Amino acid sequence: MSLSSLDLNLLLVLDSVLAERSVVRAARRLHVTPSAISNSLARLRTALGDPLIARSGRGIVPTPRAAELAPALARALRDLDHAVHGAAFNPATTTRQFSLAIADAGQVVRLPRLVTLMAAELPRASLRVVGIDTLLTRGGLANAEVDVAVAVGEKGPGMHLEPLYRERTVLVARRNHPQAGNRVSKSTLAGLRHVEVQVAPGKGYRELPGAYARLGIARDIALVVPNFSAAAAVVADTDLVATLPASLVARLGPVLGLRTIQSPVPPLHVTINLWWHERTDADPAMIAFRDLIRRAGARGSAARPRP
């Protein structure tokens, strides 16, 4: 018998015998008979060309070859157990990097709370944040590059989804815009030019064109940008208007000088979901990370934007 023909059961027997220094105790540990342990030791002696153990009084002692082998064998079996079952997750000591895909509005409004929670509960871990466009171009959550997403969307194969929070939209303009703070008519609204946000190509507010169409208004889109913050910055310095998340406007509006326009188009109420893939569903570290995201997302929306 060659060394390559050794199976895992034989190695477990040897590890147990060397640890227990007793055939009987090793048998109890492995839930087999002492004769089964003796048979396995006989096979190991043949394979390794060494007696492995010798009797000493009522117990046994390892040969020099077995004593040399014992720590490497124990370490290899421990590493294999960790690979199969996963090392115990310790939030206080893990240095794991977590990754989250979330649009920039969530990055501005929700991310600070998440970072605060991580600093308290996962103090040695790190966080990598990417946009929704990056998530989609990298193959979505089925790809191992991103762990969790906070976004709208529809459930697909292997995906887990749960509602995280509701986001309301508002139409905004610069502080000194002629229509800022006013309730505008359909004809006035039809004359405004818009900045549209598409967090990924073609991924804007899906219900917004229909909401305008029901009022007989065709939105005049002057600019398409990939994030809400850019739209807010453009609106602050031009006569363009934009439909933005109310929580983002509450946070950035006072800084940029944005005000809402009271529009005949009703605000959208968008459900933002927590997404993860089946591959991370049972991972203890991912379970803890998703819990932090839930708690960060559960914080109420920011104050209402100034009209």
Side-chain angles (χ1 to χ4, degrees):
M1 183 186 298
S2 66
L3 183 60
S4 62
S5 66
L6 292 176
D7 63 29
L8 180 59
N9 287 332
L10 291 180
L11 296 177
L12 287 171
V13 166
L14 181 57
D15 178 65
S16 298
V17 169
L18 294 176
E20 298 290 347
R21 300 296 176 94
S22 166
V23 169
V24 173
R25 288 196 297 271
R28 290 173 182 162
R29 175 174 174 175
L30 296 177
H31 305 288
V32 298
T33 64
S35 62
I37 296 294
S38 296
N39 290 336
S40 294
L41 285 173
R43 295 176 64 190
L44 283 163
R45 291 187 184 103
T46 300
L48 297 175
D50 189 90
L52 297 177
I53 59 172
R55 292 195 177 276
S56 176
R58 293 187 175 181
I60 58 175
V61 294
T63 64
R65 175 76 176 100
E68 179 185 22
L69 187 61
L73 178 59
R75 183 169 58 253
L77 291 172
R78 184 173 61 251
D79 291 346
L80 178 61
D81 183 69
H82 285 174
V84 173
H85 299 103
F89 171 64
N90 185 336
T93 60
T94 183
T95 57
R96 187 163 177 170
Q97 182 183 77
F98 298 90
S99 55
L100 169 67
I102 185 171
D104 70 301
Q107 294 173 27
V108 171
V109 176
R110 312 280 172 171
L111 188 57
R113 170 64 175 165
L114 176 59
V115 171
T116 298
L117 289 173
M118 286 191 65
E121 300 181 33
L122 300 171
R124 300 185 63 192
S126 61
L127 176 62
R128 175 174 175 261
V129 177
V130 301
I132 302 302
D133 56 342
T134 298
L135 172 69
L136 296 176
T137 58
R138 299 297 171 85
L141 292 172
N143 186 301
E145 189 167 333
V146 180
D147 300 318
V148 183
V150 173
V152 298
E154 298 178 356
K155 189 173 181 180
M159 297 300 303
H160 292 260
L161 166 155
E162 64 180 63
L164 192 59
Y165 57 86
R166 294 271 285 174
E167 185 70 83
R168 179 175 58 88
T169 65
V170 291
L171 182 65
V172 297
R174 62 180 173 84
R175 179 186 294 115
N176 296 324
H177 191 283
Q179 306 305 329
N182 296 335
R183 178 172 294 277
V184 299
S185 65
K186 288 196 295 183
S187 61
T188 300
L189 181 62
L192 298 177
R193 305 200 75 200
H194 296 253
V195 180
E196 178 171 87
V197 179
Q198 295 183 2
V199 295
K203 302 288 185 180
Y205 281 125
R206 291 181 298 176
E207 299 176 5
L208 195 57
Y212 274 79
R214 284 190 289 274
L215 294 177
I217 300 173
R219 278 192 310 154
D220 182 1
I221 299 174
L223 173 68
V224 177
V225 295
N227 57 69
F228 296 104
S229 302
V234 169
V235 167
D237 283 345
T238 69
D239 283 336
L240 301 180
V241 300
T243 298
L244 303 176
S247 62
L248 180 71
V249 175
R251 181 67 62 89
L252 296 184
V255 177
L256 295 176
L258 301 179
R259 297 187 65 183
T260 60
I261 295 175
Q262 304 302 309
S263 165
V265 175
L268 303 179
H269 294 271
V270 181
T271 298
I272 307 298
N273 299 308
L274 176 63
W275 294 86
W276 67 97
H277 193 267
E278 179 66 27
R279 65 181 177 81
T280 64
D281 185 53
D283 185 333
M286 288 296 107
I287 291 172
F289 182 50
R290 291 195 299 267
D291 180 62
L292 294 188
I293 295 173
R294 289 185 189 97
R295 287 153 55 195
R299 302 282 288 185
S301 296
R304 294 177 65 88
R306 180 183 174 186

